[in-house]
Amino acid sequence: MTKFIFVTGGVVSGLGKGIAAASIGLLLKNKGLKVAVEKFDPYLNVDPGTMSPYQHGEVFVTEDGGETDLDLGHYERFIGDNLVKECSLSSGQIYSEIINKERKGDYLGGTVQVVPHVTDIIKNRIRNLAESSDADVVITEIGGTVGEIEAESFLESIRQFRSEIGGANALFIHLTLIPFLKLSGELKTKPTQHSVKELQRHGINPDMIICRSEISIPDELLDKVATFCNVDRKYVFEGIDVDTIYDVPINFHENEMEERICERLGIPTERKNIDKWKTLVNNYKNPEKEVKIAIVGKYVALADAYLSVSESLKHAGAYHKCKVNIEWVNSEDIELDGADKYLTGLSGILVPGGFGNRGIEGKIMAAKYARENKIPYLGICLGMQIAVIEFARNVCGLKDANSSEFGLFEHQVIDLMEKQVGVTNKGGTMRLGSYPCTLKENTLAYKAYGEMFIDERHRHRYEFNNTYRDILKNHGMILAGTSPDNMLVEIIELKDHPWFVASQFHPEFKSRLYKPHPLFRDFVGVAVKN
Ligand code: GLN
């Protein structure tokens, strides 16, 4: 029978619930259990696809085209299994489903209410994932912080769920903060006590508490948390700040958290080591060299906006035993001061995905700088589109070349794909999810992947305009990857350049610490030598 773990957070947001849930998933999988993970988000957007990265961080895209919360990225990177759209549920999805049903008359005259209609949908989601994944353990992370008004229906649902399946089959984990007061030099448990009281007000007593803290928490304080929060002492864990998120599973493992979880849920398992993971993390933490790579984007003030990209650079760095220092460059600054000021002396330039025309010219200047100065360049989605625009303008002489995303131009080298014409709804309507791509022999991409047929994840509306294929090719652009029917250009490269590769897809969603993405791996590899 499937067992269920629910992860909630208290005191403040940003404690790393997602990493904690992912780490627990990793440790359980390491024990040979089949794990499924999902994230519930209390906000009213249907998905994060329409939200600004400044509001929400990056949008993580699943194989099946779900635009999901970035925590799903952590789950995939730690646990290693691909997730599906259904692993991400927001209040917006629930309400839109209910209101559609209500308008159709499906409730047959009944009053539609939070309990049972909203809570039923939430509980069904948990059950459905258990069934469809056939998992031994389903981990459900509840987004937001306990006490927030939007989270109430989720807490009520998991409370009901537990009583329906029986307490022995569910485990509530609460992640809280034990703040360190610098002035008095003390760690304080009171906020944790309050947060647990708030949970209890919803009828939930946590079975396990993970106390996040800047410094190591003395045993007496963990004892105190156990007593005041009504939790068995052996289920109170310290979650100390670490150098890298990849250390979290190691810490949990050393405190035998996964053993306690399995005992509590009545899952008979043996202690397993995590030496393989430790070696990977060790390589990552002990680099022999360093390299500086620029990420040129619009949302550089919030690293979470490019989370999977920066994680992918870390994976590639670990592979080459090299620390990748990211230089965050705001493309609007390049527009003001020129590319030299920000890009001189860097070993690689990466232009990630993006939307809208703000900062576009600065990105084009960055691509030009990389091309002319023969600096390794990795363009992702918009980063490919601007590389095409730059090449069309400055090499092919198509002076006003641009993307139709940014206005009407004589040479729309990037244009709306046919299927997108007439689409007005913004949510969930792009080219989304995994698509096949065929690589051309003797290209950098082919060399990187070591195979001809690949699949990669997409999230965009615009495409390379085929009208310009010949002129761009004749001037030295290589179409290194296309859709199998050759209709869509998926990867471009440049002749006479050490490493200039740009893809219409997002390679960053498939990179893992134990399996760096081939494009990132080779990009960092050449940058190290640069
Ligand atoms: N704005 C571009 C498009 O929609 C690129 C999207 C992206 O970089 N993800 O095609």
Side-chain angles (χ1 to χ4, degrees):
M1 186 198 164
T2 308
K3 307 283 179 169
F4 298 86
I5 297 177
F6 297 96
V7 182
T8 55
V11 183
V12 289
S13 60
L15 289 178
K17 269 195 315 289
I19 311 272
S23 302
I24 291 168
L26 179 153
L27 293 173
L28 295 177
K29 186 177 175 192
N30 188 59
K31 274 176 158 301
L33 298 172
K34 187 152 195 236
V35 180
V37 205
E38 64 188 342
K39 168 96 191 264
F40 291 168
D41 273 303
Y43 51 71
L44 288 173
N45 301 65
V46 171
D47 61 43
T50 54
M51 269 189 252
S52 152
Y54 273 145
Q55 294 275 318
H56 193 270
E58 85 171 4
V59 172
F60 186 80
V61 181
T62 53
E63 287 285 296
D64 63 347
E67 296 178 274
T68 70
D69 185 80
L70 54 75
D71 275 334
L72 273 81
H74 291 309
Y75 305 161
E76 285 203 358
R77 283 188 285 272
F78 278 61
I79 304 170
D81 299 329
N82 286 337
L83 302 173
V84 291
K85 260 187 204 144
E86 279 70 31
C87 297
S88 178
L89 176 71
S90 69
S91 298
Q93 268 177 54
I94 302 170
Y95 283 103
S96 84
E97 184 180 326
I98 289 182
I99 288 165
N100 279 338
K101 269 170 117 181
E102 190 275 337
R103 289 293 82 183
K104 279 198 248 150
D106 286 357
Y107 292 104
L108 306 173
T111 308
V112 186
Q113 292 175 301
V114 172
V115 182
H117 300 102
V118 170
T119 50
D120 277 354
I121 291 186
I122 297 172
K123 288 187 292 179
N124 283 339
R125 271 307 259 272
I126 306 168
R127 274 198 196 94
N128 291 345
L129 182 63
E131 260 165 46
S132 65
S133 64
D134 197 24
D136 299 308
V137 183
V138 169
I139 302 174
T140 305
E141 178 194 345
I142 312 291
T145 311
V146 167
E148 282 166 3
I149 192 161
E150 284 98 345
E152 304 234 330
S153 48
F154 289 101
L155 295 178
E156 170 58 16
S157 306
I158 61 175
R159 185 197 66 76
Q160 291 178 15
F161 191 84
R162 173 189 222 159
S163 46
E164 286 167 24
I165 58 160
N169 298 317
L171 177 83
F172 287 125
I173 301 179
H174 193 50
L175 199 81
T176 70
L177 177 70
I178 305 277
F180 177 65
L181 300 189
K182 286 208 175 62
L183 275 181
S184 58
E186 282 175 298
L187 286 163
K188 291 293 190 186
T189 66
K190 197 58 71 49
T192 293
Q193 297 178 37
H194 281 299
S195 176
V196 169
K197 289 226 161 60
E198 183 60 31
L199 253 187
Q200 286 164 340
R201 203 172 63 76
H202 288 90
I204 295 174
N205 201 81
D207 302 294
M208 187 168 131
I209 297 183
I210 303 175
C211 303
R212 294 278 292 103
S213 164
E214 266 178 68
I215 57 168
S216 181
I217 308 172
D219 278 346
E220 310 87 79
L221 275 196
L222 295 174
D223 294 346
K224 192 170 165 188
V225 171
T227 311
F228 282 89
C229 299
N230 191 27
V231 174
D232 195 335
R233 173 63 183 86
K234 65 178 186 217
Y235 298 120
V236 179
F237 290 87
E238 145 188 297
I240 193 167
D241 285 0
V242 280
D243 301 339
T244 152
I245 53 170
Y246 295 111
D247 269 334
V248 175
I250 299 178
N251 279 4
F252 287 1
H253 173 76
E254 266 151 24
N255 289 320
E256 299 189 1
M257 187 187 288
E258 72 271 40
E259 312 307 323
R260 297 295 88 73
I261 291 176
C262 288
E263 273 163 34
R264 168 64 184 70
L265 287 170
I267 308 171
T269 56
E270 275 169 36
R271 177 92 174 141
K272 288 267 162 62
N273 70 45
I274 53 162
D275 293 352
K276 257 182 160 167
W277 182 264
K278 279 186 185 165
T279 310
L280 287 168
V281 177
N282 202 40
N283 283 347
Y284 167 62
K285 284 169 69 176
N286 295 294
E288 287 160 7
K289 40 201 180 277
E290 291 194 29
V291 72
K292 234 188 205 176
I293 286 177
I295 295 187
V296 181
K298 187 163 68 164
Y299 302 105
V300 289
L302 181 77
D304 267 3
Y306 304 108
L307 184 66
S308 294
V309 172
S310 47
E311 289 304 304
S312 304
L313 287 173
K314 285 185 196 167
H315 304 158
Y319 178 89
H320 295 288
K321 293 205 172 229
C322 168
K323 178 164 197 261
V324 178
N325 295 310
I326 297 175
E327 192 82 17
W328 296 98
V329 180
N330 185 336
S331 56
E332 287 175 292
D333 289 342
I334 297 188
E335 287 170 13
L336 289 175
D337 306 319
D340 284 10
K341 177 164 176 198
Y342 299 98
L343 301 176
T344 304
L346 298 183
S347 303
I349 297 173
L350 190 157
V351 178
F355 295 85
N357 60 3
R358 197 160 52 79
I360 284 300
E361 291 303 320
K363 291 181 188 175
I364 293 175
M365 288 160 79
K368 180 166 189 269
Y369 187 88
R371 178 177 57 77
E372 290 182 341
N373 295 287
K374 310 237 183 276
I375 299 173
Y377 178 90
L378 178 60
I380 297 177
C381 207
L382 181 66
M384 172 186 123
Q385 299 176 351
I386 63 120
V388 172
I389 297 169
E390 191 281 316
F391 192 83
R393 283 186 193 173
N394 301 320
V395 179
C396 308
L398 307 171
K399 285 293 163 238
D400 89 327
N402 216 321
S403 161
S404 55
E405 181 178 0
F406 313 128
L408 262 181
F409 306 93
E410 192 191 340
H411 298 295
Q412 322 228 86
V413 289
I414 303 295
D415 203 1
L416 204 56
M417 48 184 146
E418 228 170 87
K419 278 198 193 131
Q420 288 286 338
V421 177
V423 172
T424 50
N425 267 1
K426 292 269 185 273
T429 53
M430 285 185 256
R431 171 144 85 113
L432 287 167
S434 186
Y435 283 85
C437 168
T438 308
L439 302 180
K440 212 164 129 191
E441 276 180 71
N442 298 321
T443 58
L444 294 167
Y446 181 73
K447 203 172 143 216
Y449 284 93
E451 57 186 327
M452 197 112 163
F453 305 104
I454 57 160
D455 291 281
E456 291 283 4
R457 299 184 197 173
H458 290 249
R459 180 174 183 251
H460 55 100
R461 238 177 259 290
Y462 296 82
E463 301 278 352
F464 185 110
N465 183 344
N466 288 334
T467 320
Y468 293 91
R469 273 194 192 195
D470 287 342
I471 175 160
L472 289 158
K473 263 165 68 179
N474 293 340
H475 283 82
M477 182 170 276
I478 302 160
L479 309 184
T482 61
S483 55
D485 63 3
N486 196 26
M487 291 307 285
L488 301 165
V489 174
E490 308 284 42
I491 307 177
I492 61 118
E493 294 179 7
L494 296 186
K495 267 188 201 144
D496 305 322
H497 190 288
W499 209 90
F500 194 109
V501 180
S503 65
Q504 188 55 77
F505 52 76
H506 289 268
E508 71 271 27
F509 297 132
K510 286 172 79 166
S511 184
R512 313 281 180 250
L513 188 56
Y514 46 85
K515 196 169 171 261
H517 190 282
L519 293 182
F520 279 90
R521 187 198 62 216
D522 284 10
F523 170 57
V524 172
V526 227
V528 176
K529 292 192 198 114
N530 193 29

CSV table of all heavy atoms in Angstrom, one decimal, residues 353-355 381-382 385 405 459-462 506, ligand 1:
chain,number,residue,atom,x,y,z
A,353,GLY,N,16.7,31.9,-21.9
A,353,GLY,CA,15.4,32.2,-22.5
A,353,GLY,C,14.8,33.5,-21.9
A,353,GLY,O,15.3,34.1,-21.0
A,354,GLY,N,13.8,34.0,-22.6
A,354,GLY,CA,13.2,35.3,-22.1
A,354,GLY,C,12.0,35.7,-23.0
A,354,GLY,O,11.8,35.1,-24.1
A,355,PHE,N,11.3,36.6,-22.6
A,355,PHE,CA,10.1,37.1,-23.3
A,355,PHE,C,10.1,38.6,-23.3
A,355,PHE,O,10.5,39.3,-22.4
A,355,PHE,CB,8.8,36.6,-22.6
A,355,PHE,CG,8.7,35.1,-22.7
A,355,PHE,CD1,9.3,34.3,-21.7
A,355,PHE,CD2,8.0,34.5,-23.7
A,355,PHE,CE1,9.2,32.9,-21.8
A,355,PHE,CE2,7.9,33.1,-23.8
A,355,PHE,CZ,8.5,32.3,-22.8
A,381,CYS,N,16.9,29.1,-26.4
A,381,CYS,CA,15.6,29.6,-26.8
A,381,CYS,C,15.7,31.1,-27.3
A,381,CYS,O,16.2,31.3,-28.4
A,381,CYS,CB,14.6,29.5,-25.6
A,381,CYS,SG,12.9,29.3,-26.2
A,382,LEU,N,15.3,32.1,-26.5
A,382,LEU,CA,15.5,33.4,-26.9
A,382,LEU,C,17.0,33.7,-27.2
A,382,LEU,O,17.3,34.4,-28.1
A,382,LEU,CB,15.0,34.4,-25.8
A,382,LEU,CG,15.1,35.9,-26.2
A,382,LEU,CD1,14.2,36.2,-27.3
A,382,LEU,CD2,14.9,36.8,-25.0
A,385,GLN,N,17.4,32.7,-30.7
A,385,GLN,CA,16.7,33.7,-31.6
A,385,GLN,C,17.5,35.0,-31.7
A,385,GLN,O,17.7,35.5,-32.9
A,385,GLN,CB,15.3,34.0,-31.0
A,385,GLN,CG,14.4,32.7,-30.9
A,385,GLN,CD,13.0,33.0,-30.3
A,385,GLN,OE1,12.8,34.0,-29.8
A,385,GLN,NE2,12.2,32.0,-30.4
A,405,GLU,N,8.1,38.9,-32.6
A,405,GLU,CA,7.7,39.1,-31.2
A,405,GLU,C,7.9,40.6,-30.8
A,405,GLU,O,7.1,41.1,-29.9
A,405,GLU,CB,8.5,38.3,-30.2
A,405,GLU,CG,8.1,38.4,-28.8
A,405,GLU,CD,8.9,37.5,-27.8
A,405,GLU,OE1,9.8,36.7,-28.3
A,405,GLU,OE2,8.7,37.5,-26.6
A,459,ARG,N,9.6,25.7,-24.8
A,459,ARG,CA,8.6,26.6,-24.2
A,459,ARG,C,8.8,27.9,-24.9
A,459,ARG,O,9.5,28.8,-24.5
A,459,ARG,CB,8.8,26.8,-22.7
A,459,ARG,CG,7.8,27.8,-22.1
A,459,ARG,CD,8.0,27.8,-20.6
A,459,ARG,NE,7.0,28.7,-20.0
A,459,ARG,CZ,7.2,29.9,-19.5
A,459,ARG,NH1,8.4,30.4,-19.4
A,459,ARG,NH2,6.2,30.6,-19.0
A,460,HIS,N,8.1,28.0,-26.1
A,460,HIS,CA,8.3,29.3,-26.9
A,460,HIS,C,7.1,29.3,-27.9
A,460,HIS,O,6.5,28.4,-28.2
A,460,HIS,CB,9.6,29.3,-27.6
A,460,HIS,CG,9.9,28.1,-28.4
A,460,HIS,ND1,9.7,28.1,-29.8
A,460,HIS,CD2,10.3,26.9,-28.1
A,460,HIS,CE1,10.0,26.9,-30.2
A,460,HIS,NE2,10.3,26.1,-29.2
A,461,ARG,N,7.0,30.6,-28.4
A,461,ARG,CA,5.9,30.8,-29.4
A,461,ARG,C,6.5,31.0,-30.8
A,461,ARG,O,5.9,30.8,-31.8
A,461,ARG,CB,5.2,32.1,-29.0
A,461,ARG,CG,3.7,31.9,-28.8
A,461,ARG,CD,3.1,33.2,-28.4
A,461,ARG,NE,2.8,33.1,-27.0
A,461,ARG,CZ,1.9,32.4,-26.4
A,461,ARG,NH1,1.1,31.6,-27.1
A,461,ARG,NH2,1.8,32.4,-25.1
A,462,TYR,N,7.8,31.5,-30.8
A,462,TYR,CA,8.4,31.9,-32.1
A,462,TYR,C,9.4,30.9,-32.5
A,462,TYR,O,9.9,30.1,-31.7
A,462,TYR,CB,9.0,33.3,-31.9
A,462,TYR,CG,7.9,34.4,-31.6
A,462,TYR,CD1,7.5,34.5,-30.3
A,462,TYR,CD2,7.4,35.1,-32.7
A,462,TYR,CE1,6.5,35.4,-30.1
A,462,TYR,CE2,6.4,36.0,-32.4
A,462,TYR,CZ,5.9,36.2,-31.1
A,462,TYR,OH,4.9,37.1,-30.9
A,506,HIS,N,15.1,24.1,-24.4
A,506,HIS,CA,15.8,24.4,-23.1
A,506,HIS,C,16.5,23.2,-22.6
A,506,HIS,O,15.9,22.4,-21.9
A,506,HIS,CB,14.7,24.8,-22.1
A,506,HIS,CG,14.1,26.1,-22.4
A,506,HIS,ND1,14.5,27.3,-21.8
A,506,HIS,CD2,13.0,26.5,-23.1
A,506,HIS,CE1,13.8,28.3,-22.2
A,506,HIS,NE2,12.9,27.8,-23.0
B,1,GLN,N1,10.0,34.8,-26.4
B,1,GLN,C1,10.5,33.7,-27.3
B,1,GLN,C2,9.4,32.9,-27.8
B,1,GLN,O1,8.3,32.9,-27.3
B,1,GLN,C3,11.5,32.9,-26.5
B,1,GLN,C4,10.9,32.1,-25.4
B,1,GLN,C5,11.9,31.5,-24.5
B,1,GLN,O2,13.1,31.9,-24.5
B,1,GLN,N2,11.5,30.6,-23.6
B,1,GLN,O3,9.5,32.2,-28.8
